[in-house]
Amino acid sequence: MCLDECKNIENTIVPALRIYMEIGWPNAVDRLIQTYMLRVLQFGTQELDLRFKDAEAWLKHAKEYERIHGRGSLMNRDHPAYRRYRVQKERLASTV
């Protein structure tokens, strides 16, 4: 992986993982892990590898929690980042 891609993952994907975990959004975390994990493991730094492994561990527990309590039960819909997402989604839907 080129240095630019590692920096991109560090600067954009890792913060997104953190926010999605704060929100309690396992599907979003899973998508990012599925998209970037192989490249991180093959070419990333030890710190990137650790961040993604932490996210994988969180995801495992989150999936188990939602298996027991229901899909979406972990999500904090009052989280400011989730509220911004909903507003943007509604704006996009209204323009289509």
Side-chain angles (χ1 to χ4, degrees):
M1 181 184 321
C2 68
L3 183 61
D4 288 341
E5 190 170 1
C6 276
K7 284 294 180 193
N8 178 51
I9 291 172
E10 284 179 25
N11 294 333
T12 60
I13 305 307
V14 170
L17 279 172
R18 182 184 53 79
I19 289 170
Y20 292 154
M21 289 186 290
E22 284 178 15
I23 292 170
W25 202 346
N27 291 343
V29 171
D30 197 16
R31 278 193 304 274
L32 289 179
I33 289 172
Q34 294 300 319
T35 302
Y36 294 98
M37 181 63 118
L38 184 59
R39 284 182 273 175
V40 166
L41 290 175
Q42 289 177 334
F43 307 109
T45 63
Q46 283 183 326
E47 182 162 337
L48 270 179
D49 182 45
L50 180 62
R51 302 273 183 168
F52 271 75
K53 286 183 178 176
D54 287 345
E56 269 190 322
W58 178 89
L59 182 60
K60 179 182 176 185
H61 293 289
K63 284 182 174 183
E64 179 63 13
Y65 182 91
E66 289 201 341
R67 184 188 69 76
I68 294 167
H69 300 283
R71 186 170 187 224
S73 59
L74 192 59
M75 187 176 288
N76 176 4
R77 288 171 176 78
D78 292 326
H79 191 285
Y82 184 78
R83 286 183 170 192
R84 284 191 300 275
Y85 161 78
R86 293 296 304 168
V87 167
Q88 289 175 346
K89 186 175 179 178
E90 289 169 9
R91 284 183 189 155
L92 287 173
S94 69
T95 62
V96 175

